[in-house]
Amino acid sequence: MLVVDNLGISLGQTRALRPLSFSLDAGETLGIVGESGSGKSITALAIMGLLPEVMQASGSILLKGENLLALDESSLCALRGRRMAMIFQEPMTALNPVMTIGRQIAEGLVLHGLMTSEAAASEAVRLIERVGLPEPELRAHSYPHELSGGQRQRAMIAMAISCRPALLIADEPTSALDVTVQAEILALLREIREETGMGMLFISHDLAVISKLANRTLVLYGGAAMEMGETQALLAAPRHPYTRGLIAAIPRGNAHTTPLRPIRGHVPELHGLPDGCPFHGRCLTGTDLCRRSSPAPDVASTTAWCHHLDGGQGA
Amino acid sequence: MTLAVAALVVFWILEVLPGDPAATMLGISATPETIAALRTELGLDQPPVARFLGWITGMFSGQLGISYAYRVPVGGLIAERVAVTLPLAVLALMLASSIGIALGTLAASKANSVIDSVVMGVAQLGLAIPNFWFGLLFVLLFSVTLGWFPSGGFPGWSGGILPAFQALVLPALALALPQSAVLARLTRSSLLETMGEDYIRTARAKGLTRGQTLRRHALRNALVPVLTMMGLQFSFLVAGTIIMENVFALPGLGRLLVQAIGGHDLILIKNLVLLFVGAAVIVNAIVDIAYGYADPRLRVSRP
């Protein structure tokens, strides 16, 4: 359904994303994990055609066979919200404060010519009920500030699924929420995916969250793919040193007996990054080769981009 | 509270002002005896505290006092003139806000384009040119050359709404233009700032074009600072009517005030100034109410 081929994003001379390819089937969820600046959010924005004007995308993004990067703005507007929708990280600021929840949900339905405004208003109430908000009639007339963070994120989800899009992009949808609310939102997303059969791109910095929802996972670092594969395989037997470091860095067990294992060093600046593997500076197995040239994909239990797959302990 | 303080300040300033109204009224040929007699008649021989209290209590009973110069009740005199100045100020405010917000929105929707530069350049010009000069230019163009509007004077509301309205259009426009320039600049910058908000990205992700997003989602959010500015501008607008009524020879409050000051008509001055203060207070109260409509977060409680 979604085929991303050699998608590259540049900001002037800086490569924000190195050529990246992946695909997504209907009903499937691809998790994209990475730290801030890894390129995961701009990948999502590139698919939606909402990259900041200073950034240029190259390659191709095919949604049901149509190359999104070749479309003009008005064709993209017709697709956005209709065939592909997006949920953002900050439920506090991602809803318009001066518009009622009901109107914000109904807006897309009317905009894409699916319904009259009366029908859309009652559909909005139905959607509010669907995403599990109590007293849907009342909530439809509420303003965002009258809802809690979790409730707002549910409203965002209702808005995103209103036009039954084929592709749903969720950019850190739970990162700003309490842990208990996180679990509820993840359960809701899973339910809706089963019900509608839409494909989902689930973006998070949190491997634990990704593992609850994603069939396959793509690990990004410094604007380049590190490893991609079935989520279970990737978590059980990570092959890339970065993935191993990421998994090892998840806090577990008793804080007194199990020391935290951060990855040494800092995320590099994308500007002026050498051609080689962006992780080489922090990688325990990094060699001169890693600095000079990008590794080719190595397909085994997962696909990994590393020169030294069989050596060392990683980070 | 604001009004009480204002009344005290106005009264005190007029008290320390040099010049005796009685002497001014009688002219240079007056004898000390006639001046003293007039002072007694006007109540000027009483102590200031008594006169202040008399003024305030009179206000509540509708007795504002008798104008020294006109020899008629101040209340009626003011009411007659309000019928000119209030429509003028309201018309100017309406023109200023509609022109300002429309131009600001246009500039923001075409940000960094030629249209944007032209609109902002014109706005800069509007800021730099004083309103009375606009007034004079308008008289030259629309009255003298084109003959569309009268160059001055006011036919009164009794002769029909249209001629009265026509007499107010030019002064209102001249008053409004510099104000609309301020509003246009503010609307533009406020809109552009709002366009960077997260919910604007949400709206774009829904499939709205940039223009639709600007009009449907950004504009209302961007108008809150514009509202504040409009409230503040009202005082300048009132000050502007004083000038504009003199340029266009309109029998409004502003001209009355200028004449009252010239004639040391203290009782008329203090009532007029208090009226202007009261108008500013009322307008700011209206702005506060309008906030609630513009931004639901500012509502105290849901209806």
Side-chain angles (χ1 to χ4, degrees), chain A residues 45 48 50 73 77 80-81 88 90 93-99 104 107-108 111-112 141 143 145-146 156 159, chain B residues 197-210 212 216-218 220-221 294-299 302:
Chain A
L45 289 178
M48 292 297 288
L50 290 175
E73 183 57 27
C77 279
R80 270 186 219 127
F88 296 95
E90 285 294 337
T93 54
L95 289 168
N96 188 337
V98 305
M99 213 189 247
Q104 294 194 53
E107 189 177 22
L111 181 76
H112 293 293
H141 293 98
Y143 288 95
H145 72 279
E146 296 167 320
M156 278 292 297
M159 198 186 303
Chain B
E197 296 282 345
D198 283 355
Y199 54 82
I200 295 302
R201 199 177 49 182
T202 309
R204 298 278 282 129
K206 233 186 256 184
L208 276 80
T209 63
R210 195 172 180 278
Q212 285 171 328
R216 294 189 199 176
H217 287 263
R220 207 169 140 193
N221 281 288
D295 190 341
R297 284 168 300 183
L298 299 174
R299 285 175 208 168
R302 270 174 64 80

Side-chain angles (χ1 to χ4, degrees), chain B residues 20-205:
Chain B
D20 184 346
T24 315
M25 281 165 71
L26 292 171
I28 44 170
S29 62
T31 60
E33 289 76 33
T34 51
I35 290 176
L38 187 62
R39 284 177 61 88
T40 317
E41 191 196 329
L42 296 175
L44 288 173
D45 53 347
Q46 289 171 32
V49 177
R51 277 186 288 132
F52 180 70
L53 291 177
W55 176 43
I56 299 294
T57 49
M59 211 182 303
F60 284 108
S61 57
Q63 298 297 312
L64 295 177
I66 309 289
S67 161
Y68 301 162
Y70 292 86
R71 299 293 181 139
V72 291
V74 169
L77 204 56
I78 290 178
E80 203 174 279
R81 303 299 185 100
V82 166
V84 177
T85 302
L86 185 66
L88 176 63
V90 169
L91 189 60
L93 196 62
M94 277 162 51
L95 283 171
S97 52
S98 47
I99 295 172
I101 293 171
L103 284 183
T105 309
L106 177 69
S109 65
K110 311 272 181 207
N112 303 321
S113 71
V114 179
I115 295 176
D116 183 22
S117 312
V118 169
V119 170
M120 282 302 109
V122 170
Q124 190 69 54
L125 211 63
L127 272 176
I129 297 175
N131 49 21
F132 67 85
W133 198 66
F134 270 127
L136 295 174
L137 279 186
F138 285 163
V139 170
L140 265 181
L141 180 63
F142 293 110
S143 307
V144 178
T145 310
L146 294 171
W148 290 354
F149 296 98
S151 63
F154 188 70
W157 294 101
S158 52
I161 291 177
L162 193 65
F165 182 75
Q166 273 185 326
L168 293 179
V169 167
L170 288 189
L173 196 62
L175 266 177
L177 282 185
Q179 310 263 343
S180 65
V182 175
L183 291 179
R185 294 183 68 88
L186 186 66
T187 303
R188 176 185 181 272
S189 63
S190 177
L191 259 178
L192 288 182
E193 195 186 311
T194 308
M195 286 302 278
E197 296 282 345
D198 283 355
Y199 54 82
I200 295 302
R201 199 177 49 182
T202 309
R204 298 278 282 129

Side-chain angles (χ1 to χ4, degrees), chain B residues 266-280:
Chain B
L266 295 191
I267 193 140
L268 190 51
I269 297 173
K270 61 191 177 191
N271 282 307
L272 278 172
V273 172
L274 200 61
L275 181 71
F276 286 142
V277 173

Side-chain angles (χ1 to χ4, degrees), chain A:
Chain A
M1 178 195 69
L2 176 73
V3 181
V4 172
D5 188 35
N6 273 315
L7 172 67
I9 298 167
S10 59
L11 174 67
Q13 292 301 306
T14 310
R15 283 185 307 176
L17 186 74
R18 303 189 194 194
L20 177 68
S21 303
F22 60 85
S23 65
L24 180 71
D25 287 333
E28 188 193 26
T29 300
L30 174 68
I32 301 182
V33 69
E35 298 166 60
S36 327
S38 61
K40 55 195 197 306
S41 285
I42 54 167
T43 305
L45 289 178
I47 295 170
M48 292 297 288
L50 290 175
L51 276 180
E53 273 166 33
V54 289
M55 293 191 183
Q56 273 84 44
S58 58
S60 70
I61 301 169
L62 301 177
L63 181 68
K64 296 199 162 169
E66 200 166 15
N67 186 1
L68 301 181
L69 290 182
L71 290 179
D72 60 12
E73 183 57 27
S74 66
S75 319
L76 270 175
C77 279
L79 286 179
R80 270 186 219 127
R82 177 71 190 90
R83 305 280 173 214
M84 53 186 181
M86 188 159 173
I87 303 168
F88 296 95
Q89 173 173 3
E90 285 294 337
M92 298 294 164
T93 54
L95 289 168
N96 188 337
V98 305
M99 213 189 247
T100 60
I101 300 291
R103 276 193 58 199
Q104 294 194 53
I105 296 173
E107 189 177 22
L109 289 164
V110 178
L111 181 76
H112 293 293
L114 300 178
M115 287 183 188
T116 63
S117 50
E118 292 80 31
S122 51
E123 173 70 3
V125 174
R126 196 194 67 77
L127 283 162
I128 292 171
E129 192 171 18
R130 173 67 200 86
V131 295
L133 284 179
E135 301 180 276
E137 293 276 356
L138 189 67
R139 288 285 85 89
H141 293 98
S142 297
Y143 288 95
H145 72 279
E146 296 167 320
L147 271 57
S148 71
Q151 288 177 326
R152 288 184 215 190
Q153 199 55 289
R154 286 175 190 269
M156 278 292 297
I157 293 170
M159 198 186 303
I161 63 171
S162 62
C163 296
R164 301 189 162 271
L167 170 67
L168 179 68
I169 302 175
D171 187 2
E172 305 259 12
T174 62
S175 304
L177 304 174
D178 291 340
V179 180
T180 47
V181 181
Q182 266 188 22
E184 288 171 25
I185 297 289
L186 289 177
L188 174 66
L189 283 173
R190 197 182 305 154
E191 249 177 72
I192 284 169
R193 179 189 62 192
E194 247 89 276
E195 191 179 296
T196 60
M198 61 189 173
M200 201 190 304
L201 268 187
F202 190 93
I203 296 169
S204 180
H205 65 279
D206 189 344
L207 258 180
V209 168
I210 293 248
S211 68
K212 295 198 180 90
L213 212 59
N215 313 97
R216 284 186 303 133
T217 296
L218 164 67
V219 181
L220 285 181
Y221 180 86
M226 298 285 108
E227 189 166 2
M228 179 159 61
E230 299 291 327
T231 305
Q232 293 320 316
L234 186 127
L235 287 176
R239 297 172 63 225
H240 195 285
Y242 177 66
T243 318
R244 267 181 274 163
L246 211 55
I247 292 170
I250 299 174
R252 69 195 69 190
N254 188 322
H256 295 291
T257 55
T258 323
L260 291 173
R261 293 188 57 202
I263 301 176
R264 65 187 181 119
H266 297 278
V267 178
E269 297 246 353
L270 287 178
H271 185 73
L273 207 62
D275 280 342
C277 174
F279 188 58
H280 76 266
R282 300 171 72 187
C283 183
L284 291 176
T285 51
T287 60
D288 200 40
L289 176 69
C290 301
R291 198 176 57 77
R292 285 199 320 271
S293 74
S294 293
D298 181 277
V299 186
S301 63
T302 63
T303 307
W305 286 261
C306 180
H307 288 299
H308 305 286
L309 281 172
D310 15 302
Q313 271 301 301

Side-chain angles (χ1 to χ4, degrees), chain B residues 238-258:
Chain B
V238 169
T241 60
I242 297 173
I243 299 165
M244 213 46 69
E245 282 169 3
N246 282 292
V247 171
F248 284 90
L250 293 173
L253 291 173
R255 275 191 76 190
L256 188 62
L257 183 63
V258 172

